[in-house]
C-alpha cells in the first residue's frame, strides 16, 4: 500500500471518529441532567445538577442535616434547644453561622435582626394562624428583640437573655445554597442550579457554556417577570411583600417585620433582589434592604461594593446598581435607574 | 483497495448518521410540553399538554387530605381551586413553560412543566420570587 493511500485512510478514520464522538457527547451532556424536587425548611426546593444521582442524594442529605440543626420547631435542633434553655452548646457549624449572622445584623444596623422571632410568631407567620397583635403586645415583645444581647462564648456556647428567641430563617436558605455549591464542587460537579424556595444559586455555567438566565418575579404580578439576569457562580435572592402575607379588613400584612416597629416593613419598596457570590450574604441583605427602605438601601449599596441589587420602589421605578447595568434585562417595561457606585 | 471517493462516501454517511442521532437526542430531550405533578417530591401524575385536545379538570387528594383541583388545557395548566389556607397555588395562575412551577406549600404539591417546545421565546433557567 502506498504512503499516500495510508495517509488518506488515516485521515478518513480520524474524521469518522471525530463525528461520532461529537454526536455521542452532545447526547451525553443532555442525559447527565439530574433533577429533584423536595420539601425542606418549610418550602419547596428544586435541584438541577449536571452529574449523577449520587450528587443529588448528597445534596438532599446536606439540606436535611442543615434543617435538623437550624429548625426552630424541631425539638432536637440546636436552635430549638437554645431557645428553650437560653444557653446551649451548639455545633461548630451553627456557632460559626450565628457569628456570621450577628455580624450581618451589625453591618445592617439592626435592619436584619435574628432575634425577631417572638414578634413573627405573634403575627402568626410561623403557624399560618394569622392575627394582628395589639400594639401593647408588640411593644412588650420588642423588648426581647436585640441581636446585640446574643452572647457567644469561647468554644461553642451561645446564650440568650430571658424571653429571647433566635431564628436563622432569614439566612438559612442562603447558607444552605453556599454549602451545596461547596459540596457539589467537591464532588466534581461543574454545572448546577438550585432553587431553594425562591433563592437561586448557580455553580459554573450551563454545560453548553452559556450563562444561567434567572428571571425575577414582578412584584405586581408574580406569574410574570420583572426582568432577568444572566449569571455564573452567583446567588440571586429576592425579598418582597407579596411572598407570605394575609389580608384583614382590606389591608395586606406581609411577613418581613421591621425590628424597630414590630409591624410589617413599609419603607417604600415592593421588592429587593440581591445578586452576589455568597448566598448567605444575598439572603441576609435582601431582607435587610427591604426593611431599610429605598433611601437607606441606596446608601447601603453605594457604600458596599461587593453586592449588586435591584430595588423596586412602591411607585414602580426600578433601581439597579452599576454592576448590573449590562447584566439585568428589564421585561415589564418599567423605568430603570442606575444607582451610582 | 478502496478508492478515495468510496472513503468520502463512507465518511459522509457516518457524519449524516451521527448528526441525525445527535439531532434526535436533542429533540427527544426538549420537545413536548409535559406537566408533572409532584406530591411530597414523588411524581404522581404526568400529562403531555400538547396532546390535550379537550380541556379537563383533575382533582388531587394530597397526603394530608387536602384537595387541589387542576385545570388542564392545550399547552397550559393551573390550579383551579384548592382548600389550602393561602391559595398561592390558585393565585399563581396558568403556567405554560418550565420557568415557574405552581407550588402549594400547605399540601406539599408542586406542578412543573419539565419539557417544552422551543418557540423562539426567551426561556428562563429559574425564577426568584
Amino acid at each position: 500500500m502506498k504512503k499516500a493511500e495510508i495517509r488518506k485512510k488515516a485521515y478518513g478514520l480520524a474524521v469518522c471518529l471525530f463525528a461520532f464522538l461529537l454526536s455521542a457527547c452532545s447526547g451525553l451532556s443532555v442525559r447527565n441532567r439530574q433533577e429533584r424536587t423536595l420539601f425542606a425548611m418549610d418550602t419547596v426546593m428544586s435541584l438541577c445538577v449536571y452529574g449523577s444521582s449520587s450528587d443529588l442524594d448528597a445534596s438532599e442529605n446536606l439540606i436535611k442535616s442543615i434543617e435538623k440543626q437550624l429548625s426552630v420547631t424541631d425539638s432536637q435542633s440546636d436552635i430549638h434547644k437554645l431557645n428553650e434553655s437560653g444557653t446551649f452548646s451548639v455545633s461548630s457549624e451553627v456557632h460559626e453561622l450565628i457569628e456570621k449572622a450577628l455580624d450581618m445584623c451589625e453591618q445592617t444596623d439592626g435592619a436584619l435582626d435574628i432575634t425577631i422571632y417572638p414578634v413573627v410568631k405573634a403575627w402568626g407567620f410561623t403557624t399560618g394562624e394569622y392575627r394582628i397583635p395589639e400594639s401593647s403586645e408588640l411593644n412588650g415583645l420588642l423588648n426581647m428583640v436585640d441581636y446585640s444581647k446574643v452572647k457567644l462564648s469561647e468554644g461553642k456556647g451561645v446564650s440568650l437573655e430571658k424571653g429571647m428567641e433566635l431564628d436563622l430563617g432569614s439566612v438559612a436558605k442562603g447558607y444552605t445554597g453556599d454549602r451545596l455549591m461547596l459540596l457539589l464542587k467537591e464532588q466534581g460537579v461543574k454545572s448546577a442550579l438550585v432553587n431553594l424556595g425562591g433563592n437561586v444559586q448557580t455553580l459554573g455555567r450551563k454545560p453548553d457554556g452559556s450563562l444561567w438566565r434567572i428571571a425575577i418575579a414582578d412584584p405586581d404580578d408574580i406569574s410574570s417577570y420583572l426582568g432577568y439576569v444572566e449569571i455564573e457562580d452567583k446567588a440571586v435572592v429576592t425579598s418582597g411583600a407579596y411572598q407570605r402575607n394575609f389580608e384583614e379588613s382590606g389591608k395586606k400584612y406581609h411577613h418581613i417585620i421591621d425590628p424597630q416597629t414590630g409591624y410589617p416593613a413599609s419603607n417604600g419598596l415592593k421588592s429587593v433582589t440581591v445578586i452576589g457570590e455568597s448566598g448567605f450574604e444575598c439572603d441576609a441583605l435582601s431582607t435587610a434592604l427591604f426593611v431599610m427602605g429605598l433611601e437607606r438601601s441606596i446608601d447601603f449599596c453605594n457604600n458596599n461594593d461587593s453586592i449588586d441589587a435591584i430595588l423596586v420602589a412602591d411607585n414602580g421605578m426600578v433601581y439597579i446598581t452599576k454592576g448590573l447595568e449590562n447584566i439585568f434585562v428589564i421585561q415589564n417595561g418599567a423605568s430603570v435607574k442606575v444607582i451610582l457606585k | 483497495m478502496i478508492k478515495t471517493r468510496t472513503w468520502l462516501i463512507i465518511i459522509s454517511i457516518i457524519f449524516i448518521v451521527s448528526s441525525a442521532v445527535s439531532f434526535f437526542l436533542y429533540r427527544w430531550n426538549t420537545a413536548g410540553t409535559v406537566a408533572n405533578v409532584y406530591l411530597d417530591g414523588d411524581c404522581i401524575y404526568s400529562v403531555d399538554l400538547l396532546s390535550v385536545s379537550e380541556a379537563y379538570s383533575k382533582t388531587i387528594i394530597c397526603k394530608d387530605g387536602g384537595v387541589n383541583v387542576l385545570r388542564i388545557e392545550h399547552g397550559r395548566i393551573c390550579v383551579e381551586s384548592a382548600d389550602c389556607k393561602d391559595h398561592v397555588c390558585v393565585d399563581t395562575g396558568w403556567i405554560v413553560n418550565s420557568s415557574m412551577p405552581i407550588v402549594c406549600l400547605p399540601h406539599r404539591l408542586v406542578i412543573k412543566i419539565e419539557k417544552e417546545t422551543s418557540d423562539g421565546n426567551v426561556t428562563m433557567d429559574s425564577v426568584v420570587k
Side-chain angles (χ1 to χ4, degrees), chain A residues 19-90:
Chain A
F20 194 74
L21 284 172
L22 198 71
S23 69
C25 286
S26 100
L28 279 175
S29 71
V30 178
R31 279 162 182 269
N32 278 343
R33 183 184 170 110
Q34 308 277 337
E35 288 195 35
R36 190 168 297 180
T37 300
L38 63 139
F39 288 89
M41 300 184 184
D42 201 25
T43 191
V44 64
M45 300 184 168
S46 59
L47 315 172
C48 169
V49 171
Y50 288 86
S52 65
S53 60
S54 64
D55 296 322
L56 287 179
D57 292 339
S59 301
E60 187 176 340
N61 289 338
L62 177 64
I63 292 169
K64 298 252 164 88
S65 76
I66 295 174
E67 183 182 26
K68 223 169 171 47
Q69 285 180 315
L70 304 184
S71 168
V72 275
T73 50
D74 183 344
S75 61
Q76 295 306 305
S77 84
D78 282 7
I79 298 297
H80 188 273
K81 286 176 181 167
L82 170 66
N83 286 343
E84 211 172 45
S85 60
T87 304
F88 189 69
S89 183
V90 298

Side-chain angles (χ1 to χ4, degrees), chain A residues 248-293:
Chain A
E248 199 163 305
S249 310
K251 196 178 172 195
K252 276 192 174 176
Y253 298 88
H254 63 80
H255 76 297
I256 306 173
I257 304 294
D258 187 336
Q260 288 295 311
T261 63
Y263 284 89
S266 174
N267 298 316
L269 289 171
K270 281 183 189 171
S271 79
V272 172
T273 301
V274 179
I275 298 145
E277 281 173 17
S278 156
F280 164 83
E281 212 172 280
C282 293
D283 204 3
L285 289 177
S286 65
T287 307
L289 295 184
F290 188 88
V291 170
M292 283 181 198

Side-chain angles (χ1 to χ4, degrees), chain A residues 261-331:
Chain A
T261 63
Y263 284 89
S266 174
N267 298 316
L269 289 171
K270 281 183 189 171
S271 79
V272 172
T273 301
V274 179
I275 298 145
E277 281 173 17
S278 156
F280 164 83
E281 212 172 280
C282 293
D283 204 3
L285 289 177
S286 65
T287 307
L289 295 184
F290 188 88
V291 170
M292 283 181 198
L294 185 60
E295 301 304 323
R296 276 179 71 198
S297 288
I298 291 175
D299 286 345
F300 188 90
C301 290
N302 281 332
N303 293 321
N304 289 274
D305 286 343
S306 62
I307 62 148
D308 276 310
I310 301 164
L311 313 171
V312 184
D314 281 344
N315 65 5
M317 177 71 97
V318 179
Y319 296 83
I320 62 170
T321 49
K322 198 152 180 63
L324 294 177
E325 214 173 356
N326 300 316
I327 294 171
F328 175 62
V329 178
I330 191 90
Q331 283 201 308

Side-chain angles (χ1 to χ4, degrees), chain A residues 64-328:
Chain A
K64 298 252 164 88
S65 76
I66 295 174
E67 183 182 26
K68 223 169 171 47
Q69 285 180 315
L70 304 184
S71 168
V72 275
T73 50
D74 183 344
S75 61
Q76 295 306 305
S77 84
D78 282 7
I79 298 297
H80 188 273
K81 286 176 181 167
L82 170 66
N83 286 343
E84 211 172 45
S85 60
T87 304
F88 189 69
S89 183
V90 298
S91 70
S92 51
E93 290 106 328
V94 174
H95 194 270
E96 195 184 330
L97 179 61
I98 294 174
E99 197 173 1
K100 276 174 69 180
L102 289 173
D103 185 46
M104 201 53 86
C105 295
E106 182 83 32
Q107 278 185 48
T108 58
D109 203 17
L112 177 80
D113 195 320
I114 55 172
T115 63
I116 192 71
Y117 188 61
V119 181
V120 177
K121 242 184 355 185
W123 282 90
F125 287 112
T126 53
T127 56
E129 309 289 330
Y130 304 121
R131 59 186 275 272
I132 304 166
E134 294 292 328
S135 60
S136 55
E137 184 187 353
L138 285 177
N139 287 334
L141 291 171
L142 282 174
N143 289 331
M144 296 181 239
V145 176
D146 186 352
Y147 69 91
S148 66
K149 288 179 181 163
V150 178
K151 299 293 173 223
L152 297 176
S153 49
E154 287 299 314
K156 296 178 276 179
V158 185
S159 55
L160 309 172
E161 287 199 352
K162 197 166 182 269
M164 278 179 83
E165 284 180 286
L166 196 140
D167 177 19
L168 295 171
S170 54
V171 293
K173 286 187 286 174
Y175 167 74
T176 305
D178 288 340
R179 292 278 305 270
L180 282 173
M181 295 300 113
L182 275 176
L183 170 83
L184 292 169
K185 252 189 226 175
E186 279 169 17
Q187 307 251 112
V189 174
K190 302 264 187 296
S191 183
L193 181 150
V194 297
N195 188 327
L196 311 179
N199 286 28
V200 170
Q201 196 150 350
T202 59
L203 177 65
R205 291 182 172 215
K206 289 197 272 186
D208 64 3
S210 62
L211 296 165
W212 298 100
R213 184 173 284 158
I214 312 300
I216 294 144
D218 186 336
D220 291 323
D221 173 14
I222 57 162
S223 63
S224 64
Y225 311 141
L226 172 75
Y228 63 86
V229 287
E230 293 192 309
I231 54 159
E232 63 177 312
D233 286 320
K234 281 196 171 158
V236 187
V237 182
T238 294
S239 286
Y242 53 85
Q243 286 164 334
R244 194 173 288 188
N245 58 45
F246 68 94
E247 200 170 325
E248 199 163 305
S249 310
K251 196 178 172 195
K252 276 192 174 176
Y253 298 88
H254 63 80
H255 76 297
I256 306 173
I257 304 294
D258 187 336
Q260 288 295 311
T261 63
Y263 284 89
S266 174
N267 298 316
L269 289 171
K270 281 183 189 171
S271 79
V272 172
T273 301
V274 179
I275 298 145
E277 281 173 17
S278 156
F280 164 83
E281 212 172 280
C282 293
D283 204 3
L285 289 177
S286 65
T287 307
L289 295 184
F290 188 88
V291 170
M292 283 181 198
L294 185 60
E295 301 304 323
R296 276 179 71 198
S297 288
I298 291 175
D299 286 345
F300 188 90
C301 290
N302 281 332
N303 293 321
N304 289 274
D305 286 343
S306 62
I307 62 148
D308 276 310
I310 301 164
L311 313 171
V312 184
D314 281 344
N315 65 5
M317 177 71 97
V318 179
Y319 296 83
I320 62 170
T321 49
K322 198 152 180 63
L324 294 177
E325 214 173 356
N326 300 316
I327 294 171
F328 175 62

Side-chain angles (χ1 to χ4, degrees), chain A residues 5 8-9 12 23 26-27 30-31 37 39 42 44 195 198 206 212-213 215 217 222-223 225 228 236 238 243, chain B residues 1 4 7 11 18 22 25 29 41 92 99-100 103 105 108-110 112 122-129:
Chain A
E5 281 171 4
K8 274 178 197 165
K9 280 183 183 177
S23 69
S26 100
V30 178
R31 279 162 182 269
T37 300
F39 288 89
D42 201 25
V44 64
N195 188 327
K206 289 197 272 186
W212 298 100
R213 184 173 284 158
I222 57 162
S223 63
Y225 311 141
Y228 63 86
V236 187
T238 294
Q243 286 164 334
Chain B
M1 194 179 297
T4 309
W7 270 111
I11 291 165
S18 304
S22 182
L25 280 171
N29 280 283
T92 302
S99 53
M100 188 177 292
V103 178
L105 261 185
R108 303 168 87 79
L109 179 87
V110 178
K112 292 203 303 189
V122 176
T123 53
M124 300 297 165
D125 296 307
S126 198
V127 184
V128 285
K129 54 179 181 172

